[in-house]
Amino acid sequence: MTHCLAPSLLVLASLGLCAPGLAGCAAFSPDSGMNAVSELTSQAINKDVAFVRTAEGAGAVGARVRQLLSRTLSVEAAVQIALLNNKGLQAAYNELALAEADLVEQSLPPNPVFSVSRISGNGASEIERQIVGDILALATLPFRSDIARDRFRQAQLRASLATLRLAADVRRAYWRAVGGNEMAALLTDAKATAESTAQLAVKLGETGSINKLDQAREQVFYAETTADLATARQTATSAREKLARLMGLWDGGLDFRLPNQLPPLPRRPQALPSIEADAVAHRIDLQIARLELTALAKSLNLTEATRFVTLLDLAGISRRTRDPEGAPFRERGFDVQFQIPIFDGGEVRVRQAAETYNFAFNRLTERAVNVRSEARDAYRIYRSGYDIASHYQREIIPLRKIITEEMQLRFSSMQVDIFALLTEARQRLASLRGAIDARQKFFLAQSDLQTAVNGGGAPADGDNSTTIAAAAPADGGH
C-alpha cells in the first residue's frame, strides 16, 4: 500500500524470521504429530495406533478389526481393536491435530494491518495509506514459538496418555468379562446340582427321612446359588458390554467370542527391583508435568523481559493531497504507538506468572512422590495377588479334590450319608469361587502394575494440568 521505508522493513522482518536457520515458522507435519504417539505406544505396550482421516484408512482399520474379531478374542487382540476402532481415542488424536494448528499459528509472524482512507471536500481530496505492524510480537516471536513447541510436545504426550489409558481400561474390562464367564459357568453347574439336591430333600422330607432343618438348608442353598448365578451373569454381561464400548464395536461386532475361563497363572511373577525408578523415568503424566514446568519457566522469563512494554506498534504512512488551488503533493512518515506503564508496571503479570510456575512446580513434586508410592503399592498388590492365586492353585484346590474323592469313596461304602457329601460339595464350590476370584484379581493387578510404570491409569485427584496450561499464557501475556 505504501512505499515508505518503515513498513517495508516490517514486511522484510516478518519474512526474515521465517527464513531457515532463524526462529523458523512451524509447518504442518504429514501425520499431525502421530509419529511420537506411535513410538511411545509401541515402547510401552507394543501395539499399533492409527489416526483415521481418510476413507482408505477407515477401510484398512475395518479390515484389521474384522480379522481380529474372527477368532476367540485374546486380551492383546482386544487392546489392539480398541486402539484402532475407539472413536473417543480418535477424538483425542483430533485434539493433537488442533494443537499442531496452534503451534503453526504461534510460530507465524504477526500479520501487518493495511488501511486506506480518503477524505474530500470543497474540491480538495486527501488519500492516506498505512501499514501497521506489532513490533513487540515480532521481536518476541522466537520465544513464543519455542513455548508453542513445548505445548505441542505436551499435546503429543497427552494423546499418548489417552492411548495407554484406553489400553488399561480394555485390559480391566476383558479380565472382568472372562472371569465373569468362568464364574457364571461354575455357578450354572452348581445350581443344577443344588436344584437336584433340593428336590431330593423335599422327597425325603415327605417320607420323614430328614427333618425340616436339613430340608430348609438344602433349599436355601439352592435359592442362594440361583441368586449368585443371576448376579454373576449380570456382572459378566455388563463387563462384556463395557469391553464392547471400549473396542468401539457397532452391531456387526457384538457377537465376539471370549474364552470360557481365565488363563493359568504365569510360572513365576515378575521381579521388578527398580520399579520406582522406572516409573519416575517412564510415566507419561510426569513427562507432561515436566514439559509444563519448562514452558512456564520460559513464559515467566518472557513476561519479566516485557513487563514494562505491552504495546509497541509501528505504522508507515503515505499521504497524497490534491488541492484545486495548488499542485498535488505527497507526505511520508511513520507513527509509533507504545503504552506508558503509569498505573501498571507489569508487576501483576509477573506475579501471576511466578505463582503459576510455583503452582506447577509443587504439583510436579507431589506427582513424583505419588508415582513412586503408586509403583510400590502396585507391585505389592501384584505379588500378593500372585501368591494368593498360586496358593489356591497349588494347595487349596488339590486338597479339595482329595477330600471330594475320599468323601465319594466313603459314601459308596456307606460310611457317610448324602448330606455330608453335599456339605463337602458346598465347601468345594466356595473354594473354586475363591480360586477364580483370586486369579481374576491377579490379572487385574498385572494390568494395574503396567499402568503404574507407564501411566494410563485414572486421572489423579486434583490433577490440574489443564488449569495450569490455561493459567499461563504461551506468549508471556501478550
Side-chain angles (χ1 to χ4, degrees), residues 355-426:
E355 291 305 321
T356 303
Y357 175 83
N358 292 333
F359 177 85
F361 176 79
N362 289 325
R363 282 294 187 190
L364 172 60
T365 305
E366 177 196 33
R367 194 77 198 107
V369 172
N370 291 346
V371 162
R372 290 172 61 91
S373 175
E374 289 167 8
R376 292 193 302 268
D377 191 45
Y379 186 71
R380 279 195 293 263
I381 294 174
Y382 165 81
R383 278 306 308 264
S384 65
Y386 181 86
D387 293 340
I388 293 170
S390 178
H391 183 68
Y392 268 98
Q393 183 174 292
R394 290 183 293 103
E395 302 292 338
I396 297 177
I397 298 304
L399 288 173
R400 277 293 170 196
K401 182 179 179 182
I402 293 173
I403 292 173
T404 298
E405 293 172 351
E406 291 297 322
M407 288 293 292
Q408 289 175 345
L409 290 174
R410 282 162 175 73
F411 176 73
S412 299
S413 60
M414 298 184 180
Q415 298 180 30
V416 297
D417 58 16
I418 182 63
F419 298 106
L421 188 63
L422 294 176
T423 299
E424 190 281 326
R426 288 196 291 270

Side-chain angles (χ1 to χ4, degrees), residues 320-332:
R320 181 178 181 182
T321 304
R322 288 185 177 182
D323 192 333
E325 298 180 359
F329 60 92
R330 287 181 179 274
E331 297 174 291
R332 291 187 177 92

Side-chain angles (χ1 to χ4, degrees), residues 203-454:
K203 293 179 180 179
L204 292 176
E206 292 173 352
T207 62
S209 300
I210 64 172
N211 55 42
K212 290 184 178 181
L213 177 60
D214 291 334
Q215 184 178 350
R217 284 172 176 165
E218 301 308 321
Q219 290 174 340
V220 76
F221 174 66
Y222 169 61
E224 289 174 345
T225 304
T226 301
D228 290 344
L229 175 59
T231 301
R233 285 175 174 171
Q234 179 56 50
T235 300
T237 301
S238 295
R240 182 186 176 91
E241 284 295 339
K242 183 174 182 179
L243 180 60
R245 291 196 301 271
L246 293 172
M247 291 192 297
L249 298 181
W250 198 250
D251 292 342
L254 294 179
D255 57 347
F256 60 88
R257 300 189 303 275
L258 290 175
N260 294 324
Q261 59 184 15
L262 294 164
L265 295 175
R267 298 184 64 179
R268 61 182 61 87
Q270 300 180 61
L272 301 174
S274 60
I275 185 172
E276 294 178 53
D278 291 341
V280 172
H282 298 121
R283 281 284 288 260
I284 293 182
D285 50 352
L286 275 183
Q287 295 181 46
I288 293 173
R290 292 189 191 104
L291 276 175
E292 180 66 32
L293 200 64
T294 301
L296 288 175
K298 294 175 182 177
S299 181
L300 175 59
N301 291 336
L302 182 57
T303 301
E304 291 177 339
T306 60
R307 62 181 299 180
F308 297 113
V309 181
T310 58
L311 174 64
L312 180 58
D313 290 342
L314 174 63
I317 303 173
S318 175
R319 182 180 300 158
R320 181 178 181 182
T321 304
R322 288 185 177 182
D323 192 333
E325 298 180 359
F329 60 92
R330 287 181 179 274
E331 297 174 291
R332 291 187 177 92
F334 64 90
D335 176 63
V336 177
Q337 296 183 27
F338 59 91
Q339 189 177 71
I340 301 176
I342 296 176
F343 304 106
D344 181 9
E347 182 65 27
V348 174
R349 292 185 297 110
V350 172
R351 182 65 61 87
Q352 289 174 338
E355 291 305 321
T356 303
Y357 175 83
N358 292 333
F359 177 85
F361 176 79
N362 289 325
R363 282 294 187 190
L364 172 60
T365 305
E366 177 196 33
R367 194 77 198 107
V369 172
N370 291 346
V371 162
R372 290 172 61 91
S373 175
E374 289 167 8
R376 292 193 302 268
D377 191 45
Y379 186 71
R380 279 195 293 263
I381 294 174
Y382 165 81
R383 278 306 308 264
S384 65
Y386 181 86
D387 293 340
I388 293 170
S390 178
H391 183 68
Y392 268 98
Q393 183 174 292
R394 290 183 293 103
E395 302 292 338
I396 297 177
I397 298 304
L399 288 173
R400 277 293 170 196
K401 182 179 179 182
I402 293 173
I403 292 173
T404 298
E405 293 172 351
E406 291 297 322
M407 288 293 292
Q408 289 175 345
L409 290 174
R410 282 162 175 73
F411 176 73
S412 299
S413 60
M414 298 184 180
Q415 298 180 30
V416 297
D417 58 16
I418 182 63
F419 298 106
L421 188 63
L422 294 176
T423 299
E424 190 281 326
R426 288 196 291 270
Q427 294 172 346
R428 182 170 183 270
L429 175 62
S431 296
L432 291 174
R433 293 179 65 176
I436 294 173
D437 185 63
R439 268 190 298 142
Q440 185 186 63
K441 287 180 178 178
F442 165 75
F443 287 112
L444 291 172
Q446 189 178 54
S447 300
D448 292 340
L449 178 64
Q450 189 175 40
T451 62
V453 175
N454 298 317

Side-chain angles (χ1 to χ4, degrees), residues 61-137:
V61 165
R64 179 83 183 279
V65 169
R66 287 191 295 273
Q67 178 188 14
L68 292 171
L69 289 173
S70 64
R71 47 185 179 268
T72 301
L73 205 62
S74 67
V75 63
E76 300 302 327
V79 171
Q80 184 61 81
I81 290 172
L83 296 187
L84 296 175
N85 203 48
N86 184 282
K87 299 306 178 185
L89 185 61
Q90 292 298 310
Y93 296 159
N94 290 132
E95 291 181 350
L96 176 59
L98 291 173
E100 186 181 42
D102 291 338
L103 167 63
V104 173
E105 181 182 30
Q106 289 293 328
S107 300
L108 294 175
N111 291 320
V113 177
F114 296 89
S115 67
V116 178
S117 61
R118 183 178 186 277
I119 302 174
S120 61
N122 296 328
S125 65
E126 181 179 277
I127 299 177
E128 181 177 287
R129 303 176 178 87
Q130 290 191 44
I131 176 173
V132 183
D134 187 344
I135 300 300
L136 185 62

